Every structure is written in structure tokens, then in C-alpha cells.
Amino acid sequence: MASSNIEWFADLGLDDVDRVGGKNASLGEMVSNLADAGVRVPDGFATTAEAYRRFLGETGLADRINALLDDLDVDDTRELARVGDQIRTSVEEQDFPKDLEDDIRTAYEKLVGDDDEPSWAVRSSATAEDLPDASFAGQQETFLNVKGIDNVLRAIKLVFASLYNDRAISYRVHSDFDHASVALSAGVQKMVRSDIGSSGVMFTIDTESGFSDAVFITSSYGLGEAVVQGAVNPDEFYVYKPALRAGKPAVLKRGLGSKATKMVYTKDATVGKTIEFVDVDEKERGRLSLTDDEVQELATHALKIEEHYGRPMDIEWGKDGVDGKLYVLQARPETVKSRQAGSTLQRYVMGSRGEVIIEGRAIGQKIGAGKVRVLTSMDQMHDFAKGDVLVADMTDPDWEPIMKRASAIVTNRGGRTCHAAIIARELGIPAVVGTGSATKDLAEGREVTVSCSEGDTGFVYDGELDFEVKETALDEMPDIPVKLMMNVGTPDQAFEFSRLPNKGIGLARLEFIINRQIGIHPKALLDFDTLDTDLKAQIAPLISAYDSPREFFVKRVAEGVSMLAAAFAPEPVIVRMSDFKSNEYAGLLGGEAYEPHEENPMIGYRGASRYLSEDFAECFAMECEALRYVREEMGLLNVKVMIPFVRTTTEAKGVIDLLGTHGLKRGEHDLQVVMMCEIPSNAVNADEFLEHFDGFSIGSNDMTQLTLGLDRDSSLVAAGFDERDPAVKKMLTMAIKTCRDKGKYVGICGQGPSDHPDLADWLLDQGIESMSLNPDTVVETWLRLAKRAKA
């Protein structure tokens, strides 16, 4: 059935945006073209833009609306609210043309078919919506769980009226869209029973860094509006596209959200009252809302949609709790990161850091500062000054006019795909969402600095602190005679750091991943069933999303390593096996029961000797299992293994043999094993050590302290610590020369080249193959070495 009033999704495509709006045209495009590829989209129909214009135009209502809007100052929020309410009331009171109502009723009857208790989503679709250069996120209304034709008709009228929400009027003005040029289509689509399943949003690009080889998925229980609104802190997943295309395990990261509430159906049939929030059971909160197989299936759908549209996409999905299947509910172009083309990289960098008042999920990778303004309703918005920090439980689309005045946004609830996050990205301001208690912990008028430039976690600092904006012209990086790699401490910033000029990661410390992503002593996990009651109670909620304590350790380590490896592929990522000292291991949850007390742990139970000890054997086996999974199951063969603190060649051989027994056999599957050259004996006896390894990565920190005989942790002798000391340089020269003579890899990953430009120059003269630097020194060092090479 088709008329000037109604179009079926199956008869629509992207060329029909002017007829049925971006959302409905996109649904039609997927129904028509992607069903054979396995992408499930619930069926439905759309009213046309022509029908909408007739609805307003036949009685002269359109002219009256345009007259009201012509001279409206949308920055006057009181007047905006008055005019918007007047227009919406007029639209809601307008009768449908008889032929339009008849066509809707006929289409509805056909769509219902033999379904005894159908439930419908009635969604808005503006003719200027979901375009590549404008998102119009959340501007118009959607009504869920609508039952019966009379309620569907009522919902369509409310959808038409929502074109004149305060937020929509303001957004069009600030986006330079003429009011009269935008029309509305209402889509009527069969509901997926995600109220008893799960749902969320996914992007085919990382929403923060723009990294294009990952699919980012959010998921929570119940209807997806809860995720979109920011009412819930959802689970988060990253999926690696190349592994997915190769048919390999591809989940890079699993993030457990609190999922405290969910949106479900009510028994009330009144439009606008058909859904409600209920609490989620405590046990369900501690579990991931999707299995790995479901995550990969969703990511596969996302890939097919992205490939069909030929651009990054923003996709809403739902899992039906009745049939267990995954459905795509909407798909629109991603409109923020995909627009940020260009060859200049901008990075915000904190200066001094103050007290952290609160933290949450970072949005926008920027920094903002100002006075706190805690808002609980629209009535408080008139006193909001430009540059204030907006603090709220969660933002509502109606708040868009005020959000653009803010220097930053902080919310109690929400994840990285909620309304606050989407609008913050569009406006180019930082937001920290899902803090849990911002409205309680941030006092009205308090000066704060909101930093989203330090990884996945966003921080709200006390006071207005100094920060700077660094710009890097990526297309102007000259050739240099050395490979500059990076020391990357945490996986959270991997995607962003990979945008810097680089030749890979020269040092990824496994202990950083263990400390940040696990926080529990590995032996406490292995002994979980026999732990005392109190310790067990502390650990249990931390590992609840995984099938066992051992799986928790292995998967979390694998997640950290795979994020780094995926971000920098195909460049090498050198992962150093854990190098905690005994006092550091003791600081992990449960660690004190397992670690010895050492007077000087810096030269004690660490590195290779720990791996080879019977007491640590099963812990090392878990580390190896994680790395083997990343390399061989996920296919990230750019991961290399580095062994720290190898005192003797006996230890060298022992560790290489031990790696082999755990599936990490040197030379197999292109595996290279590098040794940390950080003990004087490593340099003096380099020939013999290199019989067991593929090269050296010089650890200048430990090499300096052990050559000079000083403890770098002691403030009493710290002044004597200098990697440029002649004795230290002699050690470095021996190591570099032996590697060069043997045709083996040699790099340096210590702090020295980052801190001392003259040391970097000297290393270049020695013929070192690579230098691994702190990310914030890479560009400066690169340009200086290029200038020196030309001299």
C-alpha cells in the first residue's frame, strides 16, 4: 500500500529523506537492502512530509506558527517556552484530514495482521534529521508501547507537535535551519520486547578519539530510551573490526555498568504513560547484559550497516526477551567525530592537579573550568551564566539551550551514548557523566576544573586550575633516522595516543593493566574459594561479571593488552610481563597475605626470578594465557613479549622455556621475545643473554640506579640519579653495540630520553634502533631529532 499519506518501510530508501525524514528513510534503506545480510529491522510504515504539511496547511495553522517564530529570540528561554507551548497546543488540537486518518487506520490494520497483542513505537523523523552534518539528537518525541489505533493516532499527533519543542526550535535556529523548510514524518514500528531483554546504542567509530577500527557498544536491561536519556549507566564493549572480519574473537573490552534501573512497560494504555522505570535486581546489576557472542553479532550488524552506508554510523538496537534475537531499531550517520577531518591533532593537557572531588566517564577529551551551577529543573535555567559548569542528575533534551552556555557538564547518571554525552560532543565541551553523586558532592558556586583529557575517567578537580591546548600538525612530520615509540601506561588512552606520530609501543607495562583493571593479587583470585569471609566479600562484586576468578584475571589482562595492540596495529606493541616489586604486589587487594617483607624490594623478588619460582608459577601461567589469547585467538600478532629483570643467563633460558610451555614459544607465530636490559650484567654479558632473546629494550632507570649504586626511591640520594652519567653511558654503549653486531633489535624505554633531549641526541649517535618516549614528548623529540639530522 502506498499513497501520498503513507509509505511502507520496505518501499523506502535514502533518497526519500525529503518524503519521510532521515530516520524513516534509513529504516526503509535497511529493510530493503540489509535483510538478506541478516540485519533484522522491525517492520512498519511512515506518514509522509506531504501529509504533515497538509495537516498544518489546510487550516492556516502553518502560517500562524511561522509568524510566531519569525521574531522569536530563542536565547530568551521564558519567551521560547511560552511560544513553544502555544504552538504545540495548537497542533495537538488540530484534526487530521479525513483521508490521512483513513490511510493510517488501513495501514495499521495491515501491520497488525494476526498479532493478538501488538505494541508499537511511534517515532519522529524530521526531513532535516540524521543528516551527515546535523544530528538533531533527541529533538523530537518518541512514544513506546503504544497499543490500539486510537492511541497510535494520538501519538502521531504528539510527534507532529514535537517539531516545536523548545529544544527543537532553538536547535534549528543555532544550526541555521529554516523552520518552514523542516517537515515531520511519524514512523509506526513494531516494538521489540527489550523491556524484558536488553538494548542500547552502538557506534562504528570510537566516539571519543575517532578511532575507526572499533565498534563501541553500550547495553543495559530494558528499553533503550533509558540509555539514550542517560538514566542508566550501561555496560560498555569495544569490538575490533579486523578480528571480526577474520572470524576471530574480537571483544577488546568489557565494561560493567551499574545498571541500577531499567525502563519497562506499564499496564496504562494512555500515551505518555505506557512505560516506567523500575529497579534492577542486585544480582543482575553485577552481570554483563550481553554475552560475547551477542556483542560480536551486534558488531557484525554494525559493520554491515557501515559498509552499506559508506560512513561511520550511530545505531540503536534491542534484544527481544521473548525470541532472544537482536534487532536494529534505528541507524543514522555519526555526526561529530566523522566531521573532524584534518591533519591537526589538538590535545588538552592539565598543568597542576588539585584535589579530585568526584569522577565519572569522560566525554570530549577536553578541559573546562568555572563555577558550579546545580540544576534540578527548567525553572532554574534563567540564572545560568555563560561559562558556568552545569551539574545535574541527568540532562534532558529540553536543556539544550542552556547546555551551550556551559564550560563543562557533570551528571549523576548516564553513559557515553546518553543525551548529555551526545550534545556535549556536538558543542565541543567536556562532560563527566555517571558520577553517581555530583549534585550532592559539588556545592553551588564552587570553582572547579573538569578534565576529560586523561583517559576514560573524567575528573572534577577543586579550583580553577591551569591547563594548555597543544596542537600537532600531523602532515608536517619529517623523516628521522630512528623509530620513536611510546610508553603507554593504561589502555584507556590507547586510541587517542595512536593518533600521535609513532612506530608502536615500546613499553606497555602489564603491572599497570593489572593494577588498574584488576586490583586484586592474582593468588587471592586463585585461592578465592578458601579466602576468609571479609576478603571474599570484597572481591566477589569485582569479579561478578565473569564466570570464575581465573577467567576474570585472564580476560581483564587480555582486554588491556588487546586494546593497546588494536590501537597501534600493525606497529609493534612490546608488552612487559608484570614487574611488580613485593611491596607493590602487597598493595593489591589480598596481597599482604602472599608477599614477603623485603628491606629493599627494588632488587628483590621481581621479574624473571619471580616467574620461575614455584610460588608464583600459576600466576605467571595466567599472564601467559592472556597474551597467548590476544596473539593467537584474536590475531593481534603485533604483540611482542618483554621479560624484565633477568639476572643470569640461567634465568634467561628458564623463562624462555617456561614461556614455551604456556604456548608462547619464541619464533612460533612470529613471536619475538625481548629482554629488558637494565642490570649491569645484562650489558657486560650481552652476547650470552642475546642467545636467548630477539633483542634488548634498555631500561635506563634501573640501569642507572644499579650502575651508580643508588636507590632511586630514596630522596636522600635522588640528586645523584642521572642517566647521562659516563658509567651509565658505557653500559648503554656495550648493550647497543652488541645488539647491532648480532643484528638484534635494540631500543630504549626508560625515562631518560623523555627527560633529557641531549641523551636522546647521544642515543641517536650510538645507532639505537628505537626510543620509546612518554606520549607528551613524542612530537617535540621527533621535530628536534629531525632538525639535528639535517644539521
Side-chain angles (χ1 to χ4, degrees), residues 223-261:
L223 299 170
E225 282 297 301
V227 176
V228 174
Q229 289 178 11
V232 63
N233 298 339
D235 298 332
E236 296 182 352
F237 305 88
Y238 279 102
V239 185
Y240 187 44
K241 291 179 183 177
L244 196 65
R245 293 188 183 104
K248 296 178 178 292
V251 180
L252 294 172
K253 182 178 180 181
R254 305 162 188 84
L256 182 67
S258 58
K259 304 185 298 296
T261 187

Coordinates of all heavy atoms in Angstrom, one line a residue, residues 223-261:
L223 N 14.2 -1.1 28.0 CA 14.1 -0.4 26.8 C 15.2 0.6 26.6 O 15.7 1.2 27.6 CB 12.7 0.4 26.8 CG 11.5 -0.4 26.8 CD1 10.2 0.4 27.1 CD2 11.3 -1.3 25.6
G224 N 15.6 0.8 25.4 CA 16.8 1.6 25.1 C 16.7 3.1 25.4 O 17.7 3.8 25.5
E225 N 15.5 3.6 25.6 CA 15.4 5.0 25.9 C 16.1 5.4 27.2 O 16.5 6.5 27.4 CB 13.9 5.4 26.0 CG 13.2 5.6 24.7 CD 13.7 6.7 23.9 OE1 13.7 7.9 24.4 OE2 14.2 6.5 22.7
A226 N 16.2 4.4 28.1 CA 16.9 4.7 29.3 C 18.4 5.0 29.1 O 19.0 5.8 29.7 CB 16.8 3.5 30.3
V227 N 19.0 4.3 28.1 CA 20.4 4.5 27.8 C 20.5 5.9 27.1 O 21.4 6.7 27.3 CB 20.9 3.4 26.9 CG1 22.4 3.7 26.4 CG2 20.9 2.1 27.6
V228 N 19.6 6.1 26.1 CA 19.7 7.4 25.3 C 19.5 8.6 26.2 O 20.1 9.6 26.1 CB 18.6 7.3 24.2 CG1 18.5 8.7 23.5 CG2 18.9 6.2 23.2
Q229 N 18.5 8.5 27.2 CA 18.2 9.6 28.1 C 19.4 9.8 29.1 O 19.5 10.9 29.6 CB 17.0 9.3 28.8 CG 15.7 9.4 28.0 CD 14.5 9.1 28.9 OE1 14.5 9.0 30.1 NE2 13.3 8.9 28.2
G230 N 20.2 8.8 29.3 CA 21.2 8.9 30.3 C 20.7 8.6 31.7 O 21.3 8.9 32.7
A231 N 19.6 7.8 31.8 CA 19.0 7.5 33.1 C 19.7 6.3 33.7 O 19.5 6.0 34.9 CB 17.5 7.1 32.9
V232 N 20.6 5.6 33.0 CA 21.3 4.4 33.5 C 22.7 4.5 33.0 O 23.0 5.0 32.0 CB 20.5 3.2 32.9 CG1 20.6 3.1 31.4 CG2 21.1 1.9 33.5
N233 N 23.6 3.9 33.9 CA 25.0 3.8 33.5 C 25.2 2.4 32.9 O 25.2 1.4 33.6 CB 25.9 3.9 34.7 CG 25.8 5.3 35.3 OD1 25.4 6.2 34.7 ND2 26.2 5.4 36.6
P234 N 25.3 2.3 31.6 CA 25.2 1.0 30.9 C 26.5 0.2 30.9 O 27.6 0.8 31.2 CB 24.8 1.3 29.5 CG 25.5 2.7 29.3 CD 25.4 3.4 30.6
D235 N 26.5 -1.1 30.5 CA 27.7 -1.8 30.2 C 28.3 -1.2 28.9 O 27.5 -0.7 28.0 CB 27.4 -3.3 30.0 CG 26.8 -4.0 31.2 OD1 27.1 -3.5 32.3 OD2 26.1 -4.9 31.1
E236 N 29.6 -1.4 28.7 CA 30.2 -0.9 27.5 C 31.1 -2.0 26.9 O 31.8 -2.7 27.7 CB 31.1 0.4 27.8 CG 30.2 1.5 28.3 CD 31.1 2.8 28.5 OE1 32.3 2.7 28.5 OE2 30.5 3.9 28.7
F237 N 31.2 -2.0 25.6 CA 32.0 -3.0 24.9 C 32.7 -2.4 23.8 O 32.1 -1.5 23.1 CB 31.2 -4.2 24.4 CG 30.3 -4.9 25.5 CD1 29.0 -4.4 25.7 CD2 30.8 -6.0 26.2 CE1 28.3 -5.0 26.7 CE2 30.0 -6.6 27.1 CZ 28.8 -6.1 27.4
Y238 N 34.0 -2.8 23.5 CA 34.7 -2.4 22.3 C 34.9 -3.7 21.5 O 35.3 -4.7 22.1 CB 36.0 -1.7 22.6 CG 35.9 -0.3 22.9 CD1 35.9 0.2 24.2 CD2 35.7 0.7 21.9 CE1 35.8 1.5 24.5 CE2 35.6 2.0 22.2 CZ 35.6 2.4 23.5 OH 35.5 3.8 23.8
V239 N 34.7 -3.6 20.2 CA 34.9 -4.8 19.3 C 35.9 -4.4 18.2 O 35.7 -3.3 17.6 CB 33.6 -5.3 18.7 CG1 33.8 -6.6 17.9 CG2 32.6 -5.6 19.8
Y240 N 36.9 -5.2 17.9 CA 37.9 -4.9 16.9 C 37.5 -5.4 15.6 O 37.3 -6.6 15.3 CB 39.2 -5.6 17.4 CG 40.4 -5.2 16.5 CD1 40.7 -3.9 16.2 CD2 41.3 -6.2 16.2 CE1 41.8 -3.6 15.5 CE2 42.5 -5.9 15.4 CZ 42.7 -4.6 15.1 OH 43.8 -4.3 14.4
K241 N 37.3 -4.5 14.6 CA 36.8 -4.8 13.3 C 37.6 -5.8 12.5 O 37.1 -6.7 11.9 CB 36.6 -3.5 12.5 CG 35.5 -2.6 13.0 CD 35.4 -1.3 12.1 CE 34.4 -0.3 12.6 NZ 34.4 0.9 11.8
P242 N 39.0 -5.6 12.4 CA 39.7 -6.6 11.7 C 39.6 -8.0 12.2 O 39.5 -9.0 11.4 CB 41.2 -6.1 11.8 CG 41.0 -4.6 12.0 CD 39.8 -4.5 12.9
A243 N 39.5 -8.2 13.5 CA 39.4 -9.6 14.1 C 38.0 -10.1 13.7 O 37.8 -11.3 13.4 CB 39.6 -9.6 15.6
L244 N 37.0 -9.2 13.8 CA 35.6 -9.6 13.5 C 35.5 -10.0 12.0 O 34.9 -11.1 11.7 CB 34.7 -8.4 13.7 CG 33.2 -8.6 13.8 CD1 32.9 -9.5 15.0 CD2 32.4 -7.3 13.9
R245 N 36.1 -9.3 11.1 CA 36.1 -9.6 9.7 C 36.8 -11.0 9.4 O 36.4 -11.7 8.5 CB 36.7 -8.5 8.9 CG 36.0 -7.2 8.8 CD 36.6 -6.3 7.8 NE 35.9 -5.0 7.9 CZ 36.4 -3.9 8.4 NH1 37.6 -3.9 9.0 NH2 35.7 -2.7 8.4
A246 N 37.8 -11.3 10.3 CA 38.6 -12.5 10.1 C 37.9 -13.7 10.8 O 38.4 -14.8 10.8 CB 40.0 -12.3 10.6
G247 N 36.7 -13.5 11.4 CA 36.0 -14.5 12.1 C 36.7 -15.0 13.4 O 36.5 -16.1 13.9
K248 N 37.4 -14.1 14.0 CA 38.1 -14.4 15.3 C 37.4 -13.7 16.5 O 36.6 -12.8 16.3 CB 39.6 -13.9 15.2 CG 40.4 -14.6 14.2 CD 41.8 -14.0 14.2 CE 42.7 -14.7 13.1 NZ 43.0 -16.1 13.6
P249 N 37.7 -14.2 17.7 CA 37.2 -13.4 18.9 C 37.6 -12.0 18.8 O 38.8 -11.7 18.5 CB 37.9 -14.1 20.1 CG 38.2 -15.5 19.6 CD 38.5 -15.3 18.1
A250 N 36.7 -11.0 19.0 CA 37.0 -9.6 18.7 C 36.7 -8.7 19.8 O 36.9 -7.5 19.6 CB 36.3 -9.2 17.4
V251 N 36.2 -9.1 20.9 CA 35.9 -8.2 22.0 C 37.1 -7.7 22.7 O 37.9 -8.5 23.3 CB 34.9 -8.9 23.0 CG1 34.6 -7.9 24.2 CG2 33.7 -9.4 22.4
L252 N 37.4 -6.4 22.5 CA 38.6 -5.8 23.1 C 38.4 -5.4 24.6 O 39.3 -5.5 25.4 CB 38.9 -4.5 22.3 CG 39.4 -4.6 20.9 CD1 39.5 -3.3 20.3 CD2 40.7 -5.4 20.8
K253 N 37.2 -5.1 24.9 CA 37.0 -4.5 26.3 C 35.5 -4.8 26.7 O 34.6 -4.6 25.9 CB 37.3 -3.0 26.3 CG 37.2 -2.4 27.7 CD 37.6 -0.9 27.6 CE 37.4 -0.3 29.0 NZ 37.8 1.2 28.9
R254 N 35.4 -5.1 28.0 CA 34.1 -5.3 28.6 C 34.0 -4.3 29.8 O 34.9 -4.5 30.7 CB 33.8 -6.7 29.0 CG 34.0 -7.7 27.9 CD 34.1 -9.1 28.5 NE 34.5 -10.1 27.4 CZ 35.7 -10.3 27.0 NH1 36.7 -9.6 27.5 NH2 35.9 -11.2 26.0
G255 N 33.1 -3.4 29.9 CA 33.0 -2.5 31.0 C 31.6 -2.7 31.7 O 30.6 -2.6 31.1
L256 N 31.7 -3.1 32.9 CA 30.4 -3.4 33.7 C 29.8 -2.1 34.2 O 30.5 -1.3 35.0 CB 30.7 -4.3 34.9 CG 29.5 -4.7 35.7 CD1 28.6 -5.6 34.9 CD2 30.0 -5.4 37.0
G257 N 28.6 -1.7 33.8 CA 27.9 -0.6 34.2 C 27.0 -0.9 35.4 O 26.7 -2.1 35.7
S258 N 26.6 0.1 36.2 CA 25.8 -0.2 37.4 C 24.4 -0.7 37.1 O 23.9 -1.4 37.8 CB 25.8 1.1 38.2 OG 25.2 2.2 37.5
K259 N 23.8 -0.2 36.0 CA 22.5 -0.7 35.5 C 21.5 -0.7 36.6 O 20.8 -1.7 36.8 CB 22.7 -2.0 34.8 CG 23.7 -2.1 33.7 CD 23.7 -3.4 32.9 CE 24.1 -4.6 33.8 NZ 25.5 -4.5 34.3
A260 N 21.4 0.3 37.4 CA 20.6 0.3 38.6 C 19.1 0.3 38.3 O 18.3 -0.1 39.1 CB 20.9 1.5 39.5
T261 N 18.7 0.8 37.1 CA 17.3 0.9 36.8 C 17.1 0.5 35.4 O 18.0 0.4 34.6 CB 16.8 2.4 37.0 OG1 15.4 2.5 36.8 CG2 17.5 3.3 36.0

